[in-house]
């Protein structure tokens, strides 16, 4: 029995090590898909249509597709690299909780409750990570891939080679949103060429450009459908002010103390300033007024009741 547990632990460690090893490979893969798509849409299909002496309608369609494609591509890449390079949230050095927020208790924690070593205190009001050897803020979880605790951790995403947590969750949602829009636009714009593959007529272009166009259509259709599923799931999580990990953990708990209502739940992730809702950034005012954006403090239902 012990040997089986040791083998399982070793296998999990090897899996986490493999994920860490992916690193820049996944970024290159994403950029590769973008490159294939760009070649099929801009270089092969709509760029030549815009430069040709065709009808006015063809030129307007090509111009509309190219403008929309490039705008969405800029937003997609901006959000993507914001998720990749933004720290999801680390526990500050020497951080200590003032009260057990996660259990909904209002009684402050005293110095004596921490003891000489919080790890050995056995106090259920104190959350401690034995892997990081540090105290854990509310809604914080340890990531085995990153090897550290992450504030309001949602999951570790191999596509962005980073954890998704309190400080980059909005950027991740926007990345999903713009990826869905971009892949949908590409799928619809390449649909006539895809249908032409199965027609009896002659298709203009070299075998290489035709193969690239076919590949781009299939890839973007697959990404559009899969990302739509993830987007719907995360919209549901945001509406309930929860994360992927918390949604799994609270299956047996019908009441969630961080659920403030859909509007306030949305503001806990995207902020109050509507000008910043669709870009990977926050206003200084939102960062000052909403503690949840820093990942250490979260308002809950008892707090709201006390204010009222």
């Amino acid at each position: 029995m012990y040997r089986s547990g040791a083998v399982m632990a070793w296998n999990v460690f090897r899996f986490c090590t493999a994920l860490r090893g992916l690193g820049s490979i996944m970024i290159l893969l994403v950029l590769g898909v973008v490159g294939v798509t760009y070649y099929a849409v801009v270089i092969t299909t709509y760029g030549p249509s815009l430069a040709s002496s065709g009808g006015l309608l063809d030129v307007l369609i090509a111009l509309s597709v190219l403008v929309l494609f490039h705008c969405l591509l800029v937003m997609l890449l901006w959000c993507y690299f914001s998720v990749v390079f933004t720290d999801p949230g680390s526990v500050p050095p020497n951080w200590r909780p003032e009260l057990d927020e996660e259990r909904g208790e209002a009684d402050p924690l005293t110095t004596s409750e921490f003891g000489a070593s919080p790890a050995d205190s056995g106090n259920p009001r104190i959350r401690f990570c034995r892997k990081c050897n540090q105290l854990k803020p509310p809604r914080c979880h340890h990531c085995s891939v990153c090897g550290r605790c992450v504030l309001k951790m949602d999951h570790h995403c191999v596509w962005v080679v980073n954890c998704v947590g309190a400080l980059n969750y909005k950027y991740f949602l926007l990345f999903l949103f713009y990826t869905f829009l971009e892949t949908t636009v590409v799928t619809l714009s390449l649909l006539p060429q895809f249908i032409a593959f199965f027609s009896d007529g002659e298709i203009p272009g070299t075998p290489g450009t035709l193969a690239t166009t076919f590949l781009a259509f299939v890839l973007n259709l697959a990404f559009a459908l899969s990302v739509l599923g993830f987007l719907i799931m995360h919209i549901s999580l945001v509406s309930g002010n929860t994360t992927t990990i918390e949604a799994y953990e609270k299956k047996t708990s019908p009441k969630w103390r961080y659920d403030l209502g859909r509007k306030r739940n949305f503001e806990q992730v995207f902020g109050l300033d509507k000008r910043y809702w669709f870009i990977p950034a926050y206003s200084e005012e939102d960062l000052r007024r909403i503690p949840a954006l820093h990942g250490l403090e979260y308002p809950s239902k008892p707090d709201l009741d006390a204010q009222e």
Side-chain angles (χ1 to χ4, degrees):
M1 185 70 179
Y2 174 77
R3 178 180 176 80
S4 175
V7 171
M8 181 178 294
W10 182 80
N11 287 338
V12 170
F13 175 77
R14 185 173 65 176
F15 176 71
C16 294
T17 304
L19 288 180
R20 284 195 291 269
L22 287 176
S24 58
I25 296 176
M26 298 305 297
I27 297 177
L28 292 176
L29 180 59
V30 170
L31 295 179
V33 173
V34 171
V36 169
T37 302
Y38 193 92
Y39 181 82
V41 174
V42 179
I43 308 299
T44 302
T45 307
Y46 289 96
S49 297
L50 187 62
S52 67
S53 56
L56 178 61
L57 180 60
D58 292 337
V59 173
L60 289 176
I61 292 175
L63 180 62
S64 300
V65 170
L66 290 174
V67 170
L68 184 59
F69 174 84
H70 282 92
C71 288
L72 291 175
L73 181 60
V74 168
M75 295 306 301
L76 185 158
L77 292 176
W78 184 13
C79 294
Y80 177 72
F81 285 109
S82 294
V83 183
V84 171
F85 293 115
T86 300
D87 190 312
S90 302
V91 182
N94 303 319
W95 178 87
R96 279 197 172 191
E98 296 181 359
L99 48 83
D100 186 5
E101 180 183 305
E102 198 156 272
R103 292 163 64 96
E105 297 181 2
D107 296 333
L109 290 165
T110 61
T111 305
S112 60
E113 289 186 87
F114 292 97
S117 174
D120 302 324
S121 67
N123 190 340
R125 301 180 66 201
I126 298 175
R127 301 177 71 238
F128 189 85
C129 179
R130 295 184 179 277
K131 296 178 181 178
C132 295
N133 196 33
Q134 65 182 8
L135 295 165
K136 293 173 65 175
R139 310 183 73 178
C140 176
H141 293 83
H142 184 87
C143 175
S144 299
V145 181
C146 295
R148 63 187 176 96
C149 284
V150 175
L151 301 178
K152 196 187 175 185
M153 178 181 171
D154 187 88
H155 69 289
H156 186 94
C157 181
V158 295
W159 289 101
V160 302
V161 201
N162 197 4
C163 260
V164 177
L167 305 188
N168 65 354
Y169 184 49
K170 173 191 173 182
Y171 309 161
F172 176 75
L173 294 177
L174 290 176
F175 167 60
L176 292 181
F177 176 68
Y178 288 116
T179 299
F180 172 69
L181 292 182
E182 177 78 327
T183 53
T184 300
V185 167
V186 172
T187 301
L188 293 176
S189 63
L190 294 181
L191 183 59
Q193 286 71 25
F194 181 78
I195 295 175
F197 277 107
F198 303 97
S199 64
D200 297 330
E202 185 176 347
I203 308 174
T206 66
T209 58
L210 296 177
T212 303
T213 302
F214 185 91
L215 177 62
F217 176 85
V218 172
L219 285 175
N220 280 272
L221 176 61
F223 277 114
L225 295 176
S226 59
V227 169
L228 177 60
F230 280 112
L231 194 57
I232 292 174
M233 182 189 78
H234 280 282
I235 289 174
S236 174
L237 293 175
V238 171
S239 67
N241 198 4
T242 186
T243 65
T244 301
I245 294 176
E246 292 169 344
Y248 176 79
E249 290 181 341
K250 70 184 182 71
K251 283 182 178 179
T252 56
S253 177
K255 295 183 180 180
W256 182 238
R257 64 187 312 271
Y258 296 110
D259 187 356
L260 313 175
R262 292 182 181 179
K263 182 177 182 294
R264 290 185 177 180
N265 291 343
F266 177 86
E267 293 170 351
Q268 294 295 299
V269 177
F270 286 86
L272 296 168
D273 196 331
K274 297 179 181 180
R275 297 173 300 174
Y276 288 80
W277 282 359
F278 294 99
I279 63 173
Y282 292 103
S283 68
E284 292 184 5
E285 181 69 12
D286 279 347
L287 291 174
R288 185 181 64 83
R289 295 177 57 187
I290 307 176
L293 299 181
H294 298 282
L296 292 172
E297 300 177 18
Y298 300 94
S300 56
K301 290 178 179 178
D303 297 332
L304 296 175
D305 293 337
Q307 292 175 6
E308 295 174 358

